[in-house]
């Protein structure tokens, strides 16, 4: 899935759901809190940053009869799909130049796979194309996945791409389409699967886009996973991130969800603010920079279980 957007000016807009001021941490008390050891048990909901298009949601929508335009409209409300009159012949990815169709197929395959319904693949291709367009078709390899060695010609992804661009064969001139918002290419970020609803860009990265305000219901089955991290390792992760964070002697006090958007339920959502020791940070920052993406998403609950 795509990484955080490059810095850009964008209108500030509040998330569609007010943060729920209800910590989802379960505190543990112990008679001896000195050097208490144990493990943190995280339960995550969804997979990825939660902003923009859910790939599993797009697959579910396609299976239920939605075409790629309906999928794009659902996850990027207020945008339109337009023909691109400034379409390039090639795209540079990670400093290497690829033909346009090759780039789109190899990226879409690595991001969504070749077995998804055709309309979901088309939605993924449009999102990839638009994303590359925001970077003037010169994309750093850290921005999204790519399968350089995949033999794409003749595959379902290749056929979907040709159909999307009005081509009967690879020799035809492609007619690319992209997602537009007020005359500019939209930031068409995407992720693996949602926690029931999408998250707002403002709560995840601090920037805000009118079409990425979160709260969009996504039809897939929510992926629920559990991760256990020992108190010793958790302390190491926290202090590696910021050695100035102050942690108490009781690990049950180290981590709490201060606010969330209620994406999964009234008591569980994408964490807007997480408190770690004496420091507060965005939930996605905790997932990425403290936990090194070991958490599938920043929609989580956490409890400390002493040994």
């Amino acid at each position: 899935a795509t990484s955080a957007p490059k810095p850009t000016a964008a209108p500030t807009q509040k998330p569609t759901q007010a943060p729920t001021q209800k910590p989802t941490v379960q505190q543990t008390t112990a008679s001896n809190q000195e050097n208490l050891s144990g493990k943190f048990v995280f339960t995550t909901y969804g997979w990825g940053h939660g902003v923009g298009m859910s790939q599993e949601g797009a697959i579910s929508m396609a299976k239920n009869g939605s075409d790629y335009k309906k999928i794009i409209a659902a996850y990027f409300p207020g945008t339109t799909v337009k023909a691109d009159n400034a379409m390039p012949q090639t795209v540079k990815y990670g400093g290497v130049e690829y033909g346009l169709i090759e780039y789109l197929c190899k990226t879409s395959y690595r991001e969504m796979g070749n077995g998804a319904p055709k309309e979901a693949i088309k939605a993924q291709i449009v999102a990839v194309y638009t994303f590359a367009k925001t970077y003037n078709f010169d994309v750093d390899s850290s921005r999204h996945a790519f399968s350089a060695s995949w033999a794409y010609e003749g595959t379902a992804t290749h056929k979907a791409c040709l159909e999307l661009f009005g081509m009967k064969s690879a020799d035809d001139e492609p007619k690319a389409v992209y997602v537009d918002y007020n005359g500019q290419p939209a930031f068409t970020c995407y992720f693996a699967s949602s926690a029931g609803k999408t998250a707002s860009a403002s709560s995840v990265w601090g920037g805000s886009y009118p079409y990425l305000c979160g709260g969009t219901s996504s039809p897939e089955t929510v992926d629920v996973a559990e991760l256990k991290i020992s108190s010793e390792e958790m302390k190491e992760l926290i202090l590696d991130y910021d050695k100035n964070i102050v942690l108490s002697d009781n690990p049950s006090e180290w981590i709490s969800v201060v606010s969330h958007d209620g994406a999964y339920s009234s008591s569980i959502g994408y964490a807007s603010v997480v408190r770690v020791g004496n420091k507060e940070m965005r939930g996605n920052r905790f997932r990425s920079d403290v936990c090194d993406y070991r958490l599938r998403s920043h929609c989580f609950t956490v409890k400390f279980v002493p040994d």
Side-chain angles (χ1 to χ4, degrees):
T2 55
S3 58
K6 58 184 178 182
T8 184
T12 301
Q13 185 160 331
K14 294 181 179 179
T16 54
Q17 294 180 333
T20 302
Q21 301 295 328
K22 184 178 180 181
T24 53
V25 65
Q26 299 177 29
Q27 299 288 352
T28 302
T29 60
S31 57
N32 180 13
Q33 295 184 346
E34 294 294 326
N35 301 318
L36 188 66
S37 64
K39 55 183 173 292
F40 290 88
V41 181
F42 295 89
T43 302
T44 59
Y45 302 81
W47 202 327
H49 52 62
V51 182
M53 185 181 76
S54 164
Q55 292 163 317
E56 284 298 326
I59 290 170
S60 294
M61 288 185 68
K63 287 180 178 179
N64 290 328
S66 294
D67 64 13
Y68 78 92
K69 289 184 178 180
K70 288 184 178 179
I71 295 171
I72 293 294
Y75 289 108
F76 305 103
T79 64
T80 56
V81 176
K82 290 186 176 181
D84 192 355
N85 297 322
M87 180 197 67
Q89 296 295 315
T90 61
V91 178
K92 189 174 289 186
Y93 174 78
V96 179
E97 201 166 60
Y98 296 91
L100 175 62
I101 301 301
E102 179 183 8
Y103 164 79
L104 293 173
C105 288
K106 289 184 173 182
T107 301
S108 297
Y109 165 73
R110 184 65 179 82
E111 289 285 356
M112 183 174 278
N114 192 52
K118 180 171 64 177
E119 294 302 314
I121 293 175
K122 287 182 181 179
Q124 180 67 68
I125 291 170
V126 172
V128 170
Y129 181 88
T130 309
F131 184 82
K133 187 174 176 67
T134 65
Y135 287 92
N136 295 317
F137 301 102
D138 187 353
V139 185
D140 188 270
S141 60
S142 66
R143 293 295 176 182
H144 62 66
F146 184 81
S147 183
S149 62
W150 185 55
Y152 70 95
E153 292 179 298
T155 65
T157 299
H158 187 212
K159 291 175 182 177
C161 190
L162 295 180
E163 183 176 309
L164 174 67
F165 287 179
M167 304 166 66
K168 293 183 179 179
S169 73
D171 296 328
D172 295 336
E173 184 71 20
K175 302 175 183 65
V177 293
Y178 71 102
V179 184
D180 175 89
Y181 181 77
N182 285 351
Q184 297 293 328
F187 179 68
T188 48
C189 49
Y190 46 87
F191 61 99
S193 65
S194 82
K197 295 180 181 179
T198 61
S200 69
S202 61
S203 69
V204 174
W205 297 309
S208 183
Y209 300 78
Y211 49 87
L212 295 176
C213 291
T216 297
S217 295
S218 195
E220 73 267 32
T221 300
V222 175
D223 178 277
V224 181
E226 186 176 271
L227 174 68
K228 297 178 181 179
I229 301 178
S230 70
S231 55
E232 292 83 1
E233 184 177 7
M234 194 74 247
K235 182 177 182 179
E236 183 177 345
L237 289 171
I238 292 170
L239 296 182
D240 280 348
Y241 166 73
D242 185 348
K243 61 181 173 52
N244 294 316
I245 290 178
V246 178
L247 300 175
S248 72
D249 292 331
N250 185 356
S252 69
E253 300 173 349
W254 291 358
I255 303 167
S256 64
V257 176
V258 176
S259 60
H260 60 78
D261 63 6
Y264 183 75
S265 68
S266 61
S267 59
I268 301 171
Y270 289 103
S272 306
V273 179
V274 174
R275 181 177 292 112
V276 181
N278 63 331
K279 185 181 181 71
E280 290 188 350
M281 65 185 70
R282 297 183 187 278
N284 196 57
R285 174 63 60 85
F286 174 75
R287 171 186 175 241
S288 62
D289 291 9
V290 177
C291 295
D292 195 26
Y293 290 105
R294 291 172 63 178
L295 297 180
R296 289 188 175 184
S297 83
H298 64 288
C299 180
F300 67 87
T301 61
V302 56
K303 63 181 178 180
F304 178 72
V305 181
D307 289 338

